[in-house]
Amino acid sequence: MPTSNEIDCGFEAQDSFDAAIEDHKRIEPRDWMPEGYRKTLVRQIAQHAHSEIIGMQPEGYWITRAPSLRRKAILLAKVQDEAGHGMYLYSAVETLGADRAELTRKLIDGTQKYSSIFNYPALSYADVGVIGWLVDGAAICNQVPLCRSSYGPYARAMIRICKEESFHQRQGYELLMTMMSGTQAQRDMVADATNRWWWPSLMMFGPPDGESPNSAQSMRWGIKRHTNDELRQRFVDMCVPQAEALGVSLPDPDLRWNPERGHYDFGAIDWEEFRQVVAGNGPCNLERLRNRKKAHEEGAWVRDAAMAYEKKRAGAASVATSGPPR
Amino acid sequence: MIAMGFDNVYESIGEDNDDRHWAFGTGFSETLSGVEQSLPIGIDVNDLAAYCLMLGDDALVMSHRLQEWVARAPELEEETALANIALDLLGQARLLLTRAGVVAGSGMTEDTYAFFRDENEFLNVRLAELTDADFGALMARLFVFSSWRLAILKRLRASKDQVVAAVASKGAKEITYHRDYAAQWVVRLADGTDESRSRIVAGLCALSPFISELFTASAVEQRMLYAGVAADLADVRTEVVGVLLEVFSEVELEPQVLGAGYCALSARGGLGGELDSIRSQMMGEHGSGSGREGILMGAIALAEMGEHGSGSGREGIHTKAMVELLGDLQSLARSYPGATW
């Protein structure tokens, strides 16, 4: 059944939407948009918001345990940024008519996903650095093109998010540089963490182009700018020299420069592992959702109290405005 | 060849403005730049170092407890606020611990102080180290802690030690926000639902054994007060009592909620005549200018006589919670001797 918006606007609205996309103009919340565009964006932005919130957990564990006060401040600020990113993104998705509380419910009951990378554990402090370098690095490759997303609120949120993400990536890399110039035990930690996070990072770009059914439509709508495989290649090309500068080897015997393509070739990704983690069978899926659910449930009385308080104050204000009964 | 719309992934981030200086490590000024860092003349350096550790440890340990709330706050806005408060306190701690090392000339740094001292060498008040049963308990503790620390830092802006004065000047601005944030939650919870009211009351009650310590000057603090470095805790107490009463009055919380005597009596179900008699004693003892103020003063005085009244964090005596806290804080740093982070 068409919405009243569609009836009022009819084909003209579709035409002006198409023209805006064609001219790389931004779609704003009050503009007419096809239902599929809205739904796809809600799913994409909500998934991104959920990823920021769940992504606080693996590194958040290390805040109280950080090995220096400077590293503690850096990590605390970073995890706080992630909460902030969640806030901007939930705000962006609310401009599409979604409700944050409802989205949170969908995260907790598993009907909406978050990035499967956060279902891997952060086992040592080197993981904090490697998550910054590789996971945030992959997120930047994915997200920088979204600063030019056709949907205005998302594009604007992404500009700020990408600035902060790139800050995190450099901080992660700087931690690894410091650790590599430390003791042998520290270098071993970095090597171990790199080995564990490399392949999951490559999976962050999603399935190969041939198996990514929604990509073509999303690219036509300007809410996806490059294909999964393009972005993955870009990431590999960026990381190889960074790994060399760091002095760690990436765990892929097939990784080598291909002068004909002008890119690095790399080995086959274990897509079965990816499917398993997405399906809920990763090392930390249960723990991540359990923690989120627990925090949400334990906070219910606080949110109820805040609502009750606001209601009382609003009631008091309306009595004050209307004056005493005569 | 893959066609990408940019040569460098970072390039397009700056497209909407000219600010390309956001990269790591640029654009920051030293927090203490321009501050006179030489030692004040005629001040005992060991006392000054100890005083810096006291103020620094309060912030470090309270920050640690706030860090424990990351990823488990009741709402996203609270995630960012709590992390922000934790960061502010951590920043204050770093400056003060660094100052302690410089003053003592011991070669100790912020990190050696934080990670390589044992429990009995930490000089924070015990209120800072307590664990929080729930968000209400945290807000109760943060409210009392911030009200107290703000009153101290405001006075330290005139400290004879220029570094302490500079840290206090910056810190007072930060803590004004922390106190406001916590006070708003105390009000909201006290006037929210029956459950939230009982939780905030329980949170305040649980603090009672650790209140008197906030206003009891150790020998170092007394000497530093005399030397013009430290804050006068009697003045601090007057300000804190005023702040607590103002907020409590807003939501009709009884001032004796913070008194050990009151809580002990509540626990035994012995309210009524016994409390009235204590109340009238308090009124008599502390004058009749303000009944509620007298009661709160009396509650604090009563707490001083409680079983927790002997020994204090300022002397290196701590609760069991501190042992666990230090295990968490220090284990990684201690596991990798010679490592650089």
Side-chain angles (χ1 to χ4, degrees), chain B residues 146-161:
Chain B
S146 313
S147 301
W148 172 71
R149 190 168 176 85
L150 179 58
I152 291 175
L153 294 192
K154 276 158 66 178
R155 283 158 183 80
L156 290 181
R157 289 180 298 197
S159 173
K160 271 197 182 165
D161 184 70

PDB file of all heavy atoms in Angstrom, chain B residues 146-161:
ATOM      1  N   SER B 146      32.644  14.540  43.923  1.00  0.00           N
ATOM      2  CA  SER B 146      32.849  15.748  43.117  1.00  0.00           C
ATOM      3  C   SER B 146      32.608  17.007  43.938  1.00  0.00           C
ATOM      4  O   SER B 146      33.310  18.003  43.761  1.00  0.00           O
ATOM      5  CB  SER B 146      31.901  15.786  41.918  1.00  0.00           C
ATOM      6  OG  SER B 146      31.892  14.578  41.247  1.00  0.00           O
ATOM      7  N   SER B 147      31.597  16.969  44.818  1.00  0.00           N
ATOM      8  CA  SER B 147      31.314  18.145  45.647  1.00  0.00           C
ATOM      9  C   SER B 147      32.522  18.444  46.529  1.00  0.00           C
ATOM     10  O   SER B 147      32.931  19.591  46.704  1.00  0.00           O
ATOM     11  CB  SER B 147      30.088  17.895  46.532  1.00  0.00           C
ATOM     12  OG  SER B 147      28.974  17.597  45.735  1.00  0.00           O
ATOM     13  N   TRP B 148      33.090  17.369  47.065  1.00  0.00           N
ATOM     14  CA  TRP B 148      34.255  17.496  47.950  1.00  0.00           C
ATOM     15  C   TRP B 148      35.490  17.948  47.171  1.00  0.00           C
ATOM     16  O   TRP B 148      36.182  18.889  47.548  1.00  0.00           O
ATOM     17  CB  TRP B 148      34.479  16.133  48.615  1.00  0.00           C
ATOM     18  CG  TRP B 148      35.733  15.991  49.413  1.00  0.00           C
ATOM     19  CD1 TRP B 148      36.018  16.571  50.605  1.00  0.00           C
ATOM     20  CD2 TRP B 148      36.867  15.180  49.071  1.00  0.00           C
ATOM     21  NE1 TRP B 148      37.254  16.181  51.039  1.00  0.00           N
ATOM     22  CE2 TRP B 148      37.799  15.316  50.120  1.00  0.00           C
ATOM     23  CE3 TRP B 148      37.182  14.342  47.996  1.00  0.00           C
ATOM     24  CZ2 TRP B 148      39.031  14.660  50.114  1.00  0.00           C
ATOM     25  CZ3 TRP B 148      38.405  13.688  47.993  1.00  0.00           C
ATOM     26  CH2 TRP B 148      39.320  13.842  49.048  1.00  0.00           C
ATOM     27  N   ARG B 149      35.755  17.304  46.053  1.00  0.00           N
ATOM     28  CA  ARG B 149      36.965  17.636  45.292  1.00  0.00           C
ATOM     29  C   ARG B 149      36.874  19.049  44.709  1.00  0.00           C
ATOM     30  O   ARG B 149      37.864  19.762  44.655  1.00  0.00           O
ATOM     31  CB  ARG B 149      37.207  16.608  44.185  1.00  0.00           C
ATOM     32  CG  ARG B 149      38.574  16.758  43.503  1.00  0.00           C
ATOM     33  CD  ARG B 149      38.906  15.560  42.633  1.00  0.00           C
ATOM     34  NE  ARG B 149      40.154  15.712  41.910  1.00  0.00           N
ATOM     35  CZ  ARG B 149      41.362  15.419  42.406  1.00  0.00           C
ATOM     36  NH1 ARG B 149      41.479  14.946  43.622  1.00  0.00           N
ATOM     37  NH2 ARG B 149      42.443  15.575  41.674  1.00  0.00           N
ATOM     38  N   LEU B 150      35.676  19.421  44.281  1.00  0.00           N
ATOM     39  CA  LEU B 150      35.538  20.774  43.742  1.00  0.00           C
ATOM     40  C   LEU B 150      35.838  21.806  44.831  1.00  0.00           C
ATOM     41  O   LEU B 150      36.541  22.793  44.583  1.00  0.00           O
ATOM     42  CB  LEU B 150      34.133  20.986  43.171  1.00  0.00           C
ATOM     43  CG  LEU B 150      33.861  22.380  42.607  1.00  0.00           C
ATOM     44  CD1 LEU B 150      34.844  22.727  41.492  1.00  0.00           C
ATOM     45  CD2 LEU B 150      32.432  22.492  42.095  1.00  0.00           C
ATOM     46  N   ALA B 151      35.305  21.568  46.027  1.00  0.00           N
ATOM     47  CA  ALA B 151      35.552  22.514  47.129  1.00  0.00           C
ATOM     48  C   ALA B 151      37.051  22.606  47.410  1.00  0.00           C
ATOM     49  O   ALA B 151      37.582  23.690  47.689  1.00  0.00           O
ATOM     50  CB  ALA B 151      34.792  22.063  48.376  1.00  0.00           C
ATOM     51  N   ILE B 152      37.755  21.494  47.312  1.00  0.00           N
ATOM     52  CA  ILE B 152      39.209  21.507  47.530  1.00  0.00           C
ATOM     53  C   ILE B 152      39.921  22.260  46.400  1.00  0.00           C
ATOM     54  O   ILE B 152      40.726  23.155  46.637  1.00  0.00           O
ATOM     55  CB  ILE B 152      39.753  20.062  47.637  1.00  0.00           C
ATOM     56  CG1 ILE B 152      39.258  19.421  48.940  1.00  0.00           C
ATOM     57  CG2 ILE B 152      41.284  20.047  47.583  1.00  0.00           C
ATOM     58  CD1 ILE B 152      39.646  17.962  49.091  1.00  0.00           C
ATOM     59  N   LEU B 153      39.601  21.890  45.157  1.00  0.00           N
ATOM     60  CA  LEU B 153      40.328  22.485  44.031  1.00  0.00           C
ATOM     61  C   LEU B 153      40.095  23.987  43.941  1.00  0.00           C
ATOM     62  O   LEU B 153      40.995  24.741  43.578  1.00  0.00           O
ATOM     63  CB  LEU B 153      39.945  21.791  42.714  1.00  0.00           C
ATOM     64  CG  LEU B 153      40.359  20.319  42.566  1.00  0.00           C
ATOM     65  CD1 LEU B 153      40.180  19.853  41.117  1.00  0.00           C
ATOM     66  CD2 LEU B 153      41.796  20.064  43.000  1.00  0.00           C
ATOM     67  N   LYS B 154      38.884  24.424  44.266  1.00  0.00           N
ATOM     68  CA  LYS B 154      38.621  25.866  44.230  1.00  0.00           C
ATOM     69  C   LYS B 154      39.578  26.605  45.166  1.00  0.00           C
ATOM     70  O   LYS B 154      40.087  27.665  44.841  1.00  0.00           O
ATOM     71  CB  LYS B 154      37.163  26.152  44.632  1.00  0.00           C
ATOM     72  CG  LYS B 154      36.205  26.015  43.443  1.00  0.00           C
ATOM     73  CD  LYS B 154      34.780  25.772  43.835  1.00  0.00           C
ATOM     74  CE  LYS B 154      34.125  26.912  44.555  1.00  0.00           C
ATOM     75  NZ  LYS B 154      32.698  26.586  44.863  1.00  0.00           N
ATOM     76  N   ARG B 155      39.821  26.014  46.321  1.00  0.00           N
ATOM     77  CA  ARG B 155      40.731  26.649  47.284  1.00  0.00           C
ATOM     78  C   ARG B 155      42.195  26.521  46.849  1.00  0.00           C
ATOM     79  O   ARG B 155      43.007  27.390  47.131  1.00  0.00           O
ATOM     80  CB  ARG B 155      40.519  26.027  48.674  1.00  0.00           C
ATOM     81  CG  ARG B 155      39.258  26.583  49.308  1.00  0.00           C
ATOM     82  CD  ARG B 155      38.653  25.724  50.379  1.00  0.00           C
ATOM     83  NE  ARG B 155      37.416  26.345  50.836  1.00  0.00           N
ATOM     84  CZ  ARG B 155      36.245  26.256  50.193  1.00  0.00           C
ATOM     85  NH1 ARG B 155      36.155  25.550  49.066  1.00  0.00           N
ATOM     86  NH2 ARG B 155      35.172  26.874  50.646  1.00  0.00           N
ATOM     87  N   LEU B 156      42.502  25.439  46.158  1.00  0.00           N
ATOM     88  CA  LEU B 156      43.900  25.222  45.739  1.00  0.00           C
ATOM     89  C   LEU B 156      44.315  26.129  44.583  1.00  0.00           C
ATOM     90  O   LEU B 156      45.503  26.183  44.249  1.00  0.00           O
ATOM     91  CB  LEU B 156      44.111  23.757  45.352  1.00  0.00           C
ATOM     92  CG  LEU B 156      44.078  22.766  46.517  1.00  0.00           C
ATOM     93  CD1 LEU B 156      44.320  21.350  45.995  1.00  0.00           C
ATOM     94  CD2 LEU B 156      45.113  23.123  47.575  1.00  0.00           C
ATOM     95  N   ARG B 157      43.377  26.826  43.983  1.00  0.00           N
ATOM     96  CA  ARG B 157      43.756  27.754  42.915  1.00  0.00           C
ATOM     97  C   ARG B 157      44.700  28.832  43.457  1.00  0.00           C
ATOM     98  O   ARG B 157      45.426  29.450  42.705  1.00  0.00           O
ATOM     99  CB  ARG B 157      42.506  28.391  42.293  1.00  0.00           C
ATOM    100  CG  ARG B 157      41.712  27.381  41.462  1.00  0.00           C
ATOM    101  CD  ARG B 157      40.481  27.994  40.836  1.00  0.00           C
ATOM    102  NE  ARG B 157      39.544  28.467  41.857  1.00  0.00           N
ATOM    103  CZ  ARG B 157      38.264  28.741  41.617  1.00  0.00           C
ATOM    104  NH1 ARG B 157      37.773  28.597  40.407  1.00  0.00           N
ATOM    105  NH2 ARG B 157      37.480  29.161  42.591  1.00  0.00           N
ATOM    106  N   ALA B 158      44.646  29.022  44.798  1.00  0.00           N
ATOM    107  CA  ALA B 158      45.535  30.008  45.418  1.00  0.00           C
ATOM    108  C   ALA B 158      46.707  29.334  46.120  1.00  0.00           C
ATOM    109  O   ALA B 158      47.392  29.949  46.939  1.00  0.00           O
ATOM    110  CB  ALA B 158      44.739  30.840  46.420  1.00  0.00           C
ATOM    111  N   SER B 159      46.958  28.069  45.806  1.00  0.00           N
ATOM    112  CA  SER B 159      48.052  27.348  46.470  1.00  0.00           C
ATOM    113  C   SER B 159      49.404  27.985  46.171  1.00  0.00           C
ATOM    114  O   SER B 159      49.614  28.524  45.080  1.00  0.00           O
ATOM    115  CB  SER B 159      48.064  25.887  45.986  1.00  0.00           C
ATOM    116  OG  SER B 159      49.209  25.233  46.491  1.00  0.00           O
ATOM    117  N   LYS B 160      50.285  27.875  47.138  1.00  0.00           N
ATOM    118  CA  LYS B 160      51.630  28.430  46.939  1.00  0.00           C
ATOM    119  C   LYS B 160      52.420  27.630  45.915  1.00  0.00           C
ATOM    120  O   LYS B 160      53.407  28.143  45.370  1.00  0.00           O
ATOM    121  CB  LYS B 160      52.399  28.440  48.273  1.00  0.00           C
ATOM    122  CG  LYS B 160      52.167  29.721  49.053  1.00  0.00           C
ATOM    123  CD  LYS B 160      53.235  29.880  50.128  1.00  0.00           C
ATOM    124  CE  LYS B 160      52.976  31.149  50.938  1.00  0.00           C
ATOM    125  NZ  LYS B 160      53.752  31.163  52.176  1.00  0.00           N
ATOM    126  N   ASP B 161      52.028  26.382  45.704  1.00  0.00           N
ATOM    127  CA  ASP B 161      52.697  25.622  44.646  1.00  0.00           C
ATOM    128  C   ASP B 161      51.990  25.936  43.323  1.00  0.00           C
ATOM    129  O   ASP B 161      50.812  25.631  43.149  1.00  0.00           O
ATOM    130  CB  ASP B 161      52.658  24.118  44.924  1.00  0.00           C
ATOM    131  CG  ASP B 161      53.449  23.353  43.873  1.00  0.00           C
ATOM    132  OD1 ASP B 161      54.685  23.465  43.874  1.00  0.00           O
ATOM    133  OD2 ASP B 161      52.820  22.682  43.018  1.00  0.00           O
TER     134      ASP B 161
END
